[in-house]
Amino acid sequence: EESKMMEMYLKNVFKFTRSHTVLLDLCTSSFEAERKHVSSGLVPLTKSLHWLMQFAVRSFELNEEKAKYPLADFKTSLKKLMGLVSNLLSMDVDDQKWVAQCQANTLKYFPIIAESMDRIFSGDELSILVVGIIKAINPYHTNDVARLNLIRVLTKSMAFRETARATFFPLLLEIFTKYLLPREESVDECFITTAVLRTLIGFIECTDNKETEHRELRDPKDAAEILLQFTPMLEVLIRSTLLLLRAKANPALLPKPTPSVVELIQSDGKTLAIDSLVCTITVLKLLPPKMLLDYLQSLEERSRFIFLVNLLKLFSLVLKVNPFSEVWVIFVTLQVQVICKVHSIFGPVLCETARKQATLTDTQEEAISLFFTLGLDLLQHKDLKTEDMNERRKRLVLAQLKEDLRPEIRKSFTMLWEALGNQRPMFTRALIPGMFGIISTRLTSDGRTIEGKLRPSEKMCMDVFYSMIVTEYHATKKLNKVERYTIEGLSQIIHDSQGRGEAFYKMLDKDLRERFKEDPENEKAPGLVFLGHVSHLFGLMASLLKFPTTAIYEDERNRMALALMEYLSKPDENGNIRREMYFRYVQYLVDLHAEIKNYQEAGITQLLEVDMLEWSDDIVEARGEFPREMERERKERLYQNANSFFTSGQDWERAITMCEKLAQYYRNDAYDYEKLADVLKQEAELFRKIANAPRFYPSYYRVLFKGEFPEEKDGNEYVYRGGRMEKVMNFSQRIKRKYPSAKLVMRWNPKESDLKDNKQVIAIVTLKLPACKTVISNGLATAKMEREVKALHSNSRVTKEVVEYYENNSRSVFLYEKPEQRSKDKKPANEFKELWVRQHFLVTETEFPTVKRRSKVEARKEIMLSPIENAACMVHEKNQHISKEIQEVHKAAKLTDSSGKQSLSSSNKLPKVELKEHKHGGSKGSSTLATPRKIDRTSKLMRVKLERNSKLNQSAKSQTKVPVNKLSQALAGTIDAAVNGGTKLFCEAFLTPAYRKEHKLPEDLEKIRTLRRRLKEQVAILRDGLSLFKSVCPTEYVPLLQHLLATYAKMEASIQRYYEFQ
């Protein structure tokens, strides 16, 4: 309100004609006096200076005595005052707040001062004063935002003064070059500078008609002349717009403008990228082709192609994201029109480069690739395909375009392709996806186009593709690149739509066969060779892609990927392996395994690629997450990946092997001792895990398919490797989800009734991993296994963790045992006497773990164990189990022979303890015969108590922290069974004179000796276990210990006469 009142007073009331001299003298003397004495008195003066200047100018205009008060003197006074203002703006603040306040006031009100002086000075005089003020601003104490905003406000008035441009435009060019590119820490300066540019372009594009008082489009020649002064900023403008558009899609790339700047520009802050793009499109629209070419030629060669790369990247991004609304038909069409114009202008430049240079630089190659990609994007852009538009949009677009722009695009595209000559194969990757997209858009299911013939753009793509095949073959005698990217292109189309993919393949195959038929020189090679490979690969790929990408179809996807890899690993007619395509499907299989947490398989699969790479400096192309890099860098990266997979899968031994490979490389080749130190630390940690960390191994299952299955033959038999900690019920449910209509039976073979009543039957049983010695004794071991087992068992220092790992890895022989009771009695008194066991040994095609989770059974062996052999096996397994638990407690208690203490196993006799008669215990004669499943009631009560106190044992800080729960359970289960069943039944069945009388053959006597020896081992092992249990027994376990000591004494007495019998 105060400003309005002052304006009204100045215009209608103020009539003083001589006050201008007084006001200017007052302002000048005040500036001089206050600056000399370094006073804060200038603060109110700078706040009111714009009003004082307006009154002074108004007073001079009202004065009629021009001779007495000439214009030249008034200008001189104003210039002197502006000089003092410039001095003020250049002053250092030096902790004097009044200086900063004066500078801020001056910058805030200077546009009004300049507007007042506009009535006095000519354009060139005023621009000199304004530029002087702006350059005087101290850059160290004044915010760039304030300085740029001052320029923004002054731009319009300065630009429209023709005589002011010579001075003011160089200043604008300077700030455009410096501030247009956004910075990571702030975009405020870029935000305001873009607003300055927007104002300037508005002036360049349009002019004010003084007669009609309306804005009109400026003559293109005049606009181009003005814009010519700003062509040096083009490079920065392109980079800025590209970065801002990327940040629009991903806001994390740049910060947001501060609210104060948004308010200053009166924008919502979201249009910065759009404003920058509009400026770029308008500048390129206004610049004539010759000016664009002249600018391009003015750049040094490397900068020239960097500029082209950024410009083509920007255009590709614009066509991809289309930042403007679809309803903005005119501007969207204008945008496409400008892109087509630039594409046609720069095509000849790239053609000349391709002809002159036998070898392209990386930047030149990238520019040409982007040029091709942009051309293909334009050819299939909906705003150029007028034949597919509705009538209303077609009229609007044609009114803007005037003509079809695609012929010119095709011309530039074809000229560059022909100019490349033998360098064409390097652009196969950039071209094939876009060309296939154009050709496949309008296909019907039988591989024909909708109109029955190819459109010009489609025909051009087929011509280029045919040329691509012939050129690569004659240049390299190979078809690696064109085959690889053809299959990738087909894969993408069939992945999007299987029907369209198959139709496109039919059309492609038919067209190429016709072309090769008309070209006898190339018909056999590369023609039929290429078509044969693509046909086979496409068939395998289509089979792979037809399965859903879920864990349920893991086996089928795995099988088809391996079939593709097998085909790709075979040398072609020239002895070449399609490495890049092979690696692509290796990575596909790695990702498949990693996705469903098959980490061991993922690591083993990753090594398939590692083994084909060398420690060389050859360049390998980018693929997926892998950048373009040297072969040794890729090999190092893949070793690290495999190491990570093996570590996650608890295959620490293989992870150590990866560390050793990397350590050897870092030590002897790369000489990278920092990485060497890191990998050695990692290796040390893996060794600690082997020694101390618990490890769980997966189970194995035999699956038999009977009936009609879509992907399986009747009678197919496989061994499946389950997941870690996966139980048979979880595994069965997984199979059931895959085959919901099949009947699952948990037995070795389905019954006849199952097969009769169901079309699909699946039999599932859990398999054992037989001990390696068992595999060797049955003649099923490989020579490698025999060597490893011999070396392993010949060293007494090998720990159980190492043995366990070898017993669970590299296994191809599995065991299923089925007991057969041949006793004539329905409930025999001694169930073991006639208990035969049928052992089924299954041999798979591959060893586990491998690149797949199932393997077909290729061989079988069946063995029948006699009752005494079964008994010996059961005793042996129990002995191993108890020994394992003893070792666990030994490790926990840190009781080793090397400590100097007496070994627990060396005690000759157990200490005497007071035997107590338990309520449910009896005398020796009172015990009844029982199977191992019938346990003495006293033992049951003890175990209930044990389970109740086990948690207390883990948390209580009493006598010991050693976990003894599993050891006590193993001891109790064996000792109680030895007295009341189990071991005692073995003795009564097989270690009696009557049994020996019936079995006099040497092999029978050897079986008796084996059982007796293992029983003796069990007694010794139990004695060691009890002695160890006593040494670490917590208080709450004492009753159980006393019970076991008493029961052990009875057991030893009861069976001693059997195993001493000769």
Side-chain angles (χ1 to χ4, degrees):
E1 292 298 324
E2 182 180 337
S3 297
K4 289 180 181 179
M5 289 176 61
M6 291 288 285
E7 289 172 2
M8 290 176 61
Y9 175 79
L10 185 62
K11 184 177 181 180
N12 302 320
V13 180
F14 182 74
K15 299 298 181 184
F16 295 98
T17 59
R18 299 179 183 178
S19 60
H20 57 281
T21 56
V22 178
L23 290 173
L24 287 182
D25 289 344
L26 173 65
C27 291
T28 303
S29 60
S30 298
F31 266 101
E32 290 175 339
E34 297 294 346
R35 190 170 185 274
K36 185 182 293 185
H37 297 94
V38 193
S39 168
S40 60
L42 281 179
V43 175
L45 179 60
T46 53
K47 279 186 179 180
S48 58
L49 183 61
H50 60 297
W51 285 118
L52 294 172
M53 289 291 294
Q54 289 182 75
F55 278 104
V57 170
R58 180 63 177 161
S59 172
F60 180 78
E61 290 174 338
L62 293 173
N63 190 296
E64 296 178 353
E65 300 179 26
K66 300 298 183 185
K68 191 173 182 180
Y69 301 101
L71 177 62
D73 292 348
F74 188 57
K75 286 183 177 180
T76 302
S77 299
L78 287 173
K79 288 178 181 179
K80 182 178 180 181
L81 179 59
M82 289 301 103
L84 294 171
V85 171
S86 296
N87 291 336
L88 173 66
L89 290 173
S90 64
M91 286 179 63
D92 290 332
V93 175
D94 294 333
D95 297 328
Q96 300 181 73
K97 292 183 179 180
W98 69 269
V99 177
Q101 290 174 350
C102 288
Q103 291 174 345
N105 291 336
T106 304
L107 290 175
K108 181 177 179 181
Y109 298 116
F110 186 78
I112 302 174
I113 297 172
E115 187 179 350
S116 300
M117 293 192 297
D118 187 22
R119 305 204 297 269
I120 304 298
F121 291 101
S122 64
D124 54 343
E125 291 174 328
L126 181 61
S127 66
I128 292 171
L129 287 174
V130 168
V131 172
I133 291 289
I134 293 172
K135 289 188 174 181
I137 297 172
N138 192 326
Y140 299 103
H141 302 290
T142 304
N143 192 334
D144 279 342
V145 170
R147 178 168 173 259
L148 290 170
N149 188 53
L150 175 60
I151 296 172
R152 178 186 70 85
V153 175
L154 294 171
T155 296
K156 186 174 181 180
S157 60
M158 292 291 103
F160 275 95
R161 282 181 167 272
E162 189 172 345
T163 55
R165 296 172 195 164
T167 309
F168 192 70
F169 279 6
L171 175 67
L172 291 182
L173 182 60
E174 179 185 334
I175 69 137
F176 290 153
T177 307
K178 185 175 181 181
Y179 294 108
L180 262 180
L181 196 64
R183 295 179 295 174
E184 291 184 3
E185 62 272 13
S186 172
V187 295
D188 289 349
E189 295 83 357
C190 171
F191 198 57
I192 297 180
T193 307
T194 303
V196 175
L197 179 60
R198 190 177 58 202
T199 303
L200 176 66
I201 289 176
F203 153 73
I204 295 173
E205 192 173 20
C206 300
T207 183
D208 289 334
N209 189 321
K210 295 180 179 178
E211 295 179 1
T212 61
E213 297 184 354
H214 291 296
R215 301 206 72 191
E216 297 177 351
L217 286 175
R218 190 183 294 276
D219 181 83
K221 290 184 179 180
D222 294 342
E225 266 186 49
I226 298 170
L227 197 55
L228 180 62
Q229 303 175 59
F230 294 96
T231 50
M233 74 168 180
L234 262 179
E235 186 179 2
V236 178
L237 176 60
I238 299 299
R239 288 167 56 202
S240 173
T241 308
L242 180 60
L243 182 56
L244 290 170
L245 276 179
R246 286 174 175 168
K248 188 173 186 294
N250 182 10
L253 291 177
L254 290 173
K256 294 180 180 179
T258 55
S260 59
V261 173
V262 172
E263 184 179 356
L264 198 64
I265 306 299
Q266 295 182 346
S267 169
D268 59 3
K270 298 178 181 178
T271 61
L272 179 57
I274 301 297
D275 289 345
S276 185
L277 178 59
V278 169
C279 291
T280 304
I281 294 295
T282 308
V283 167
L284 294 172
K285 167 182 168 285
L286 293 174
L287 279 175
K290 187 177 183 307
M291 281 190 184
L292 267 176
L293 284 172
D294 289 343
Y295 168 71
L296 192 66
Q297 296 299 334
S298 70
L299 301 174
E300 66 97 14
E301 187 171 353
R302 186 170 182 277
S303 300
R304 185 187 311 156
F305 284 96
I306 290 174
F307 170 77
L308 281 175
V309 165
N310 288 328
L311 181 61
L312 294 168
K313 281 182 178 178
L314 173 62
F315 287 162
S316 295
L317 183 61
V318 168
L319 293 181
K320 181 180 178 182
V321 302
N322 191 17
F324 301 104
S325 171
E326 289 294 328
V327 298
W328 296 7
V329 177
I330 294 177
F331 192 82
V332 171
T333 308
L334 172 64
Q335 168 186 279
V336 175
Q337 188 178 22
V338 169
I339 295 174
C340 291
K341 166 191 168 182
V342 175
H343 187 271
S344 300
I345 291 171
F346 291 144
V349 175
L350 296 174
C351 285
E352 185 180 357
T353 302
R355 289 192 190 98
K356 287 184 176 179
Q357 293 193 214
T359 304
L360 298 173
T361 65
D362 290 345
T363 312
Q364 291 169 343
E365 182 183 338
E366 185 179 10
I368 293 175
S369 292
L370 289 167
F371 181 86
F372 280 136
T373 305
L374 180 63
L376 294 171
D377 290 343
L378 286 169
L379 288 175
Q380 56 185 329
H381 196 276
K382 62 185 179 190
D383 290 313
L384 293 181
K385 296 166 74 173
T386 53
E387 63 272 16
D388 296 334
M389 297 179 185
N390 60 50
E391 286 301 319
R392 180 178 176 275
R393 188 176 184 91
K394 185 175 181 179
R395 283 196 304 271
L396 287 171
V397 170
L398 288 176
Q400 181 71 30
L401 295 179
K402 309 298 183 189
E403 60 180 349
D404 189 351
L405 302 177
R406 288 173 293 176
E408 190 63 31
I409 298 169
R410 289 193 292 268
K411 179 182 176 182
S412 300
F413 191 102
T414 306
M415 284 176 57
L416 180 55
W417 178 253
E418 291 174 354
L420 285 167
N422 288 333
Q423 298 186 87
R424 294 172 189 170
M426 68 175 62
F427 301 103
T428 301
R429 181 180 188 181
L431 285 170
I432 284 182
M435 293 195 306
F436 282 9
I438 291 174
I439 300 168
S440 64
T441 304
R442 303 181 309 108
L443 291 177
T444 59
S445 59
D446 60 353
R448 298 180 182 179
T449 58
I450 295 172
E451 295 94 343
K453 64 178 182 178
L454 295 175
R455 289 178 177 175
S457 296
E458 296 163 350
K459 185 178 183 305
M460 182 205 76
C461 291
M462 282 304 306
D463 292 341
V464 171
F465 183 62
Y466 178 78
S467 169
M468 190 181 290
I469 299 169
V470 174
T471 303
E472 182 178 357
Y473 183 78
H474 287 294
T476 64
K477 296 302 179 186
K478 293 186 280 188
L479 292 167
N480 288 356
K481 286 188 176 180
V482 71
E483 270 188 14
R484 174 189 173 187
Y485 296 117
T486 297
I487 291 298
E488 286 188 2
L490 289 168
S491 173
Q492 185 59 50
I493 296 171
I494 201 172
H495 181 77
D496 295 339
S497 169
Q498 187 163 354
R500 188 163 70 97
E502 292 175 353
F504 174 64
Y505 171 71
K506 289 178 186 177
M507 177 266 173
L508 192 69
D509 184 75
K510 180 182 177 183
D511 187 281
L512 288 176
R513 287 187 187 278
E514 291 175 355
R515 288 172 183 266
F516 283 121
K517 192 174 181 180
E518 296 172 0
D519 185 7
E521 182 183 350
N522 295 310
E523 182 177 9
K524 186 175 180 180
L528 297 178
V529 173
F530 173 77
L531 292 171
H533 291 327
V534 171
S535 174
H536 190 83
L537 285 168
F538 181 78
L540 291 172
M541 183 182 58
S543 299
L544 173 64
L545 293 175
K546 74 179 182 181
F547 297 108
T549 56
T550 61
I552 294 177
Y553 291 93
E554 167 198 352
D555 300 316
E556 286 75 12
R557 292 162 64 198
N558 194 306
R559 174 167 54 84
M560 295 313 304
L562 288 173
L564 266 165
M565 290 162 55
E566 182 183 3
Y567 179 76
L568 294 170
S569 64
K570 293 178 181 177
D572 61 15
E573 292 76 8
N574 299 306
N576 302 307
I577 294 175
R578 303 169 184 84
R579 278 204 336 169
E580 291 302 320
M581 292 182 69
Y582 176 83
F583 291 161
R584 181 174 181 268
Y585 284 100
V586 168
Q587 195 58 46
Y588 171 88
L589 200 51
V590 169
D591 295 340
L592 168 64
H593 284 307
E595 182 184 351
I596 51 183
K597 300 183 180 180
N598 296 342
Y599 295 122
Q600 269 184 293
E601 287 78 5
I604 293 170
T605 306
Q606 192 78 84
L607 293 180
L608 295 177
E609 180 173 354
V610 172
D611 294 340
M612 294 183 72
L613 295 174
E614 301 293 338
W615 297 111
S616 74
D617 291 339
D618 295 342
I619 298 297
V620 290
E621 295 299 327
R623 187 188 72 243
E625 63 180 16
F626 301 122
R628 190 171 186 267
E629 58 192 343
M630 286 184 281
E631 192 166 331
R632 59 182 175 82
E633 294 173 330
R634 178 70 58 83
K635 186 163 185 168
E636 175 191 0
R637 192 188 302 272
L638 294 176
Y639 264 133
Q640 292 168 345
N641 283 3
N643 186 5
S644 177
F645 285 132
F646 288 135
T647 303
S648 299
Q650 294 191 338
D651 193 344
W652 301 315
E653 287 77 2
R654 282 189 174 92
I656 287 170
T657 303
M658 300 301 101
C659 289
E660 290 171 348
K661 296 281 187 183
L662 289 169
Q664 185 179 359
Y665 168 65
Y666 296 144
R667 182 187 292 113
N668 301 325
D669 193 348
Y671 295 96
D672 191 332
Y673 295 131
E674 288 291 337
K675 288 185 177 180
L676 176 61
D678 291 339
V679 81
L680 290 176
K681 287 179 183 177
Q682 187 178 4
E683 188 176 359
E685 184 60 31
L686 291 168
F687 277 116
R688 290 191 184 94
K689 286 184 176 181
I690 292 175
N692 302 312
R695 185 157 30 175
F696 303 96
Y697 296 99
S699 300
Y700 292 88
Y701 307 100
R702 179 258 199 178
V703 178
L704 175 66
F705 294 90
K706 299 291 287 185
E708 303 172 2
F709 289 88
E711 298 294 331
E712 304 292 348
K713 293 181 180 179
D714 183 24
N716 274 4
E717 184 180 18
Y718 298 95
V719 171
Y720 280 76
R721 189 172 192 249
R724 201 162 56 226
M725 308 293 288
E726 184 180 36
K727 302 301 182 183
V728 66
M729 285 305 296
N730 304 114
F731 175 79
S732 301
Q733 290 169 5
R734 181 151 60 92
I735 297 295
K736 184 65 176 176
R737 285 196 299 271
K738 185 175 179 181
Y739 303 103
S741 59
K743 179 178 176 60
L744 264 61
V745 295
M746 309 306 289
R747 60 176 70 93
W748 181 253
N749 281 317
K751 295 179 180 178
E752 289 297 328
S753 58
D754 295 330
L755 298 174
K756 185 178 179 181
D757 298 338
N758 300 276
K759 291 183 178 181
Q760 295 179 340
V761 179
I762 302 175
I764 300 175
V765 293
T766 304
L767 299 176
K768 291 182 179 180
L769 275 174
C772 292
K773 287 185 176 180
T774 303
V775 175
I776 294 171
S777 65
N778 284 285
L780 299 172
T782 61
K784 178 185 174 184
M785 175 183 276
E786 290 184 8
R787 289 194 303 271
E788 288 179 349
V789 170
K790 183 178 179 181
L792 204 63
H793 291 282
S794 63
N795 190 341
S796 60
R797 291 182 295 276
V798 175
T799 63
K800 73 174 183 63
E801 290 82 10
V802 175
V803 173
E804 272 188 359
Y805 176 78
Y806 279 98
E807 290 284 347
N808 282 276
N809 277 274
S810 301
R811 299 304 302 271
S812 61
V813 180
F814 304 89
L815 173 63
Y816 176 72
E817 294 180 325
K818 185 177 180 181
E820 296 181 8
Q821 181 58 254
R822 296 185 181 180
S823 174
K824 296 179 181 180
D825 299 331
K826 199 169 186 179
K827 291 185 178 181
N830 191 332
E831 66 178 79
F832 298 109
K833 194 168 185 178
E834 294 295 332
L835 184 62
W836 295 72
V837 174
R838 191 181 301 276
Q839 291 186 324
H840 299 271
F841 288 92
L842 303 180
V843 183
T844 55
E845 292 176 338
T846 55
E847 292 181 344
F848 288 99
T850 181
V851 295
K852 52 187 178 181
R853 298 280 289 185
R854 76 170 186 177
S855 183
K856 203 166 188 178
V857 175
E858 66 173 2
R860 299 168 189 78
K861 186 173 183 179
E862 189 175 302
I863 297 174
M864 182 64 79
L865 289 183
S866 64
I868 190 171
E869 289 174 320
N870 178 44
C873 287
M874 292 177 68
V875 173
H876 180 63
E877 289 177 1
K878 180 59 72 174
N879 291 349
Q880 287 185 318
H881 175 62
I882 300 172
S883 298
K884 177 183 176 182
E885 298 304 330
I886 290 173
Q887 288 180 14
E888 290 290 342
V889 176
H890 260 298
K891 181 190 291 186
K894 298 183 180 178
L895 298 173
T896 60
D897 291 339
S898 60
S899 64
K901 298 180 181 179
Q902 182 184 9
S903 173
L904 292 170
S905 60
S906 64
S907 303
N908 294 324
K909 292 183 180 180
L910 289 171
K912 292 184 179 180
V913 296
E914 182 182 354
L915 299 180
K916 296 183 179 180
E917 189 71 27
H918 294 281
K919 181 176 180 181
H920 295 284
S923 62
K924 182 178 177 181
S926 63
S927 63
T928 58
L929 293 175
T931 66
R933 292 183 294 274
K934 297 178 181 179
I935 303 173
D936 181 74
R937 183 170 178 79
T938 303
S939 176
K940 287 184 179 180
L941 292 174
M942 285 293 183
R943 286 180 191 161
V944 170
K945 184 175 180 180
L946 172 61
E947 290 173 1
R948 187 171 62 245
N949 293 331
S950 62
K951 292 183 179 179
L952 294 174
N953 178 53
Q954 294 173 4
S955 59
K957 296 180 180 180
S958 55
Q959 295 181 355
T960 180
K961 294 181 181 180
V962 179
V964 296
N965 190 23
K966 290 184 179 180
L967 174 62
S968 63
Q969 288 178 346
L971 292 172
T974 307
I975 294 173
D976 285 337
V979 175
N980 301 305
T983 307
K984 182 179 179 181
L985 295 179
F986 294 153
C987 295
E988 292 176 348
F990 309 115
L991 299 182
T992 61
Y995 183 85
R996 181 176 176 181
K997 188 176 180 180
E998 294 176 5
H999 300 80
K1000 296 180 179 179
L1001 295 175
E1003 57 268 25
D1004 293 334
L1005 295 177
E1006 180 58 33
K1007 293 173 184 177
I1008 294 172
R1009 284 192 289 272
T1010 299
L1011 177 60
R1012 185 186 301 119
R1013 184 177 66 253
R1014 290 180 176 175
L1015 284 171
K1016 284 184 177 181
E1017 291 172 358
Q1018 188 173 87
V1019 170
I1021 291 169
L1022 290 172
R1023 181 174 65 246
D1024 289 350
L1026 283 171
S1027 180
L1028 176 61
F1029 185 29
K1030 181 175 181 298
S1031 67
V1032 297
C1033 182
T1035 305
E1036 60 270 22
Y1037 282 81
V1038 170
L1040 175 62
L1041 174 64
Q1042 291 180 337
H1043 166 73
L1044 291 179
L1045 289 170
T1047 310
Y1048 174 80
K1050 289 193 289 181
M1051 177 205 78
E1052 190 174 28
S1054 65
I1055 67 172
Q1056 187 163 359
R1057 62 189 180 91
Y1058 291 105
Y1059 70 69
E1060 288 182 351
F1061 169 72
Q1062 299 295 325

